[in-house]
Amino acid sequence: MTTAPPALGLAGTVGRWLDANIFALGREMRLSYLPPLMVYAAAGISGLTAIVGTFYVKERLGLSAEFLAALGFWMMLPWALKMPLGHLVDLVWRWKSLLVYLGAGLITLSLLIMIGLLGHLDAMRAVASVEAWYVTSALLGPIGFVLQDVVADAMTVEAVPRVDANGHPLPLENRKSMHVTMQTLGRVAIITGGILVSVVNVFVLQGVGELPDAQKAAAYLFVYELALIIPLVSVAGVLFASWLRRRDIKRFLARGHSRQESEALLGVYTDPPPVNWWILGGGLAFTAISLSVGLSRIPGGEEIIFTVSMAIVLFLMWRLTGELEPDARNVLVGTAILIFVFRAIPGPGAGSTWWMIDSLGFDQQFLATLSLIGATLTLAGMFIFRRFMAERSIAYIIGALTIAGTFLSLPTIGMYYGLHEWTAAHTGGVVDARFIAVIDTALESPLGQIAMIPMLAWIANSAPEKLKATFFAVMASFTNLALSASQLGTKYMNDIFVITREVRDPDSGQITIAADYSELGMLLITVTMIGFALPLLSIILLKHTRFRNA
């Protein structure tokens, strides 16, 4: 006679969930995973200067919210270059680490420009305007991070071993499980990097808002100097990968394998694939047109670049979908449209943050605290919602996130119209603007990551067997272009609803631009309505076409 297993109870259930979803990742960690994780962690640490950069722009530069939205478009554009860069990494596989060094150099140069502006302003002004230096720094950083990101993606392939310690091939199922673990740990590394820099910002920026300008600039300077660790971490990852490679080759040589056999077992160097001139040619054309339009400063330059970029990516997608069956092609097109619309929703732009700083009194330390809460709960959300993401269709996930995001945008709109004053008056000052912001951030923070993971899984699962790397690069470029479209929409919104913050002449202290947040309420409402209507309308319309979604 068998007896029923004892009930686990709440503690046992929680422990089993933690073991299966979190501790298991730690047990599956391998030393070979560490190099790409270090490069991903460097990307997460890149947020170290985000808050300081926001206050620097607000306090010292006279750049409009519309201009900053346009600058955001150009900063997103390098991510569309993942398409040709991904193919380039395949072609120069043996020397791909050089791209990490180049990326680290560009990131370092970007940081050094900001260090120069904060520590040696007069010398920098003698060469170019402060605004010109800032724009240059803002554009160099993303290029460096894109170069490192495409190499990190390639390094995740090398990180998963093909053979065991004795040189015997590992079963396909084992390697597939390792790849899933590697990709999950990659997302964890990025978010953990964000958590670490949020903690640093909370302590470093404590009380900075009350300091005189000179001491405030010194605090900002320290943060940018601290950020120089970012390129060091990524370069250290590449150097560690080289050391691991040499160690493993020596181990196989000691077992009697030749050097060529050892490299083949490790998958260190592979024959480069044939050059895909459609990919490289499209990438070169995109780069040439982008540079010519950007440097010429012709009216509508962002729109021209976006249209050309979209045309190139859609053409390459059309060629790649020829490899798919009609049903699979319809699923791909339907899913791509939903993801593009969801990610292309415009935002309110920098004016919303300026208003929170000026009107709600959110200082540097509090914004750092919000960042820490958001990053921590995003990491938790990855694990909590894993089952939800695995079991639901893309349409269901996007619909749910759209509705949730709309509700979570209402507190900010409410605070613009005095919600925090009413709640504070009825709760003895407990539920004030900061209380509402903390709760709203806690609820909203996991949403972006929940949207990202099924998108990446869909791209990987939809790729034709022989074109996985190329397909992933093209589809990643397509989804990144949606973020460029979002920046364009944000620029248009800030052109219609003009938001200005107070700008003073750095020498005379005279106000050159007065603060005006009178149109921010309508901007927030309009953006929220667009963000609610477009994704849901896309889902409804696609249900009445031959296109489906994953």
Side-chain angles (χ1 to χ4, degrees), residues 86-420:
H87 189 53
L88 179 64
V89 169
D90 286 335
L91 295 176
V92 296
W93 188 266
R94 180 185 291 262
W95 311 108
K96 62 184 181 297
S97 59
L98 297 178
L99 293 177
V100 174
Y101 300 142
L102 176 58
L106 293 175
I107 294 167
T108 302
L109 183 57
S110 172
L111 294 170
L112 289 177
I113 289 174
M114 294 305 299
I115 289 171
L117 289 176
L118 288 162
H120 308 279
L121 181 59
D122 292 336
M124 300 290 282
R125 272 183 178 169
V127 178
S129 69
V130 175
E131 288 77 11
W133 280 118
Y134 174 77
V135 170
T136 302
S137 173
L139 294 176
L140 285 175
I143 297 172
F145 282 113
V146 169
L147 287 172
Q148 295 198 343
D149 189 69
V150 293
V151 177
D153 290 343
M155 290 172 69
T156 61
V157 178
E158 275 189 331
V160 174
R162 300 184 177 194
V163 296
D164 61 19
N166 297 316
H168 301 134
L170 291 170
L172 185 61
E173 283 301 312
N174 287 18
R175 296 192 68 240
K176 183 178 179 181
S177 175
M178 291 179 189
H179 276 297
V180 172
T181 300
M182 177 73 254
Q183 296 304 321
T184 303
L185 288 171
R187 307 306 302 175
V188 170
I190 294 172
I191 298 169
T192 302
I195 293 173
L196 291 175
V197 301
S198 296
V199 172
V200 171
N201 274 323
V202 167
F203 288 100
V204 172
L205 299 178
Q206 185 175 7
V208 166
E210 307 300 324
L211 296 175
D213 287 345
Q215 291 179 303
K216 192 183 295 185
Y220 293 171
L221 176 61
F222 174 72
V223 172
Y224 276 102
E225 289 173 340
L226 195 61
L228 289 172
I229 195 174
I230 297 169
L232 291 178
V233 171
S234 56
V235 168
V238 172
L239 294 176
F240 186 55
S242 298
W243 179 83
L244 285 176
R245 191 180 306 126
R246 290 194 298 270
R247 184 204 65 174
D248 292 339
I249 288 177
K250 286 181 180 178
R251 187 177 73 244
F252 283 123
L253 289 174
R255 292 179 177 275
H257 295 283
S258 67
R259 186 171 189 85
Q260 187 175 5
E261 290 172 340
S262 301
E263 291 182 352
L265 289 171
L266 294 172
V268 174
Y269 301 128
T270 58
D271 293 330
V275 178
N276 187 324
W277 290 108
W278 288 110
I279 297 290
L280 286 185
L284 290 173
F286 169 80
T287 304
I289 295 171
S290 298
L291 289 175
S292 60
V293 172
L295 294 174
S296 65
R297 298 183 180 181
I298 62 175
E302 291 92 352
E303 289 78 3
I304 293 172
I305 294 300
F306 178 77
T307 303
V308 171
S309 306
M310 182 60 73
I312 292 172
V313 172
L314 288 177
F315 173 74
L316 292 171
M317 285 176 62
W318 172 72
R319 288 189 60 86
L320 286 174
T321 53
E323 300 283 331
L324 302 177
E325 296 296 325
D327 285 346
R329 190 183 307 123
N330 290 338
V331 171
L332 184 149
V333 172
T335 306
I337 291 173
L338 288 182
I339 291 174
F340 186 90
V341 171
F342 181 74
R343 287 167 66 86
I345 299 300
S352 176
T353 305
W354 296 341
W355 167 75
M356 291 180 182
I357 295 169
D358 287 343
S359 300
L360 301 183
F362 291 0
D363 57 16
Q364 293 91 334
Q365 186 184 20
F366 181 68
L367 289 179
T369 302
L370 288 181
S371 176
L372 174 59
I373 293 170
T376 303
L377 292 178
T378 296
L379 185 60
M382 277 183 58
F383 299 107
I384 293 171
F385 293 103
R386 278 209 308 181
R387 191 165 187 176
F388 168 78
M389 293 182 289
E391 296 176 352
R392 301 293 185 176
S393 68
I394 293 288
Y396 187 97
I397 293 171
I398 287 178
L401 294 180
T402 297
I403 294 171
T406 300
F407 276 108
L408 292 173
S409 65
L410 296 180
T412 301
I413 297 174
M415 285 195 292
Y416 178 81
Y417 290 103
L419 172 66
H420 57 293

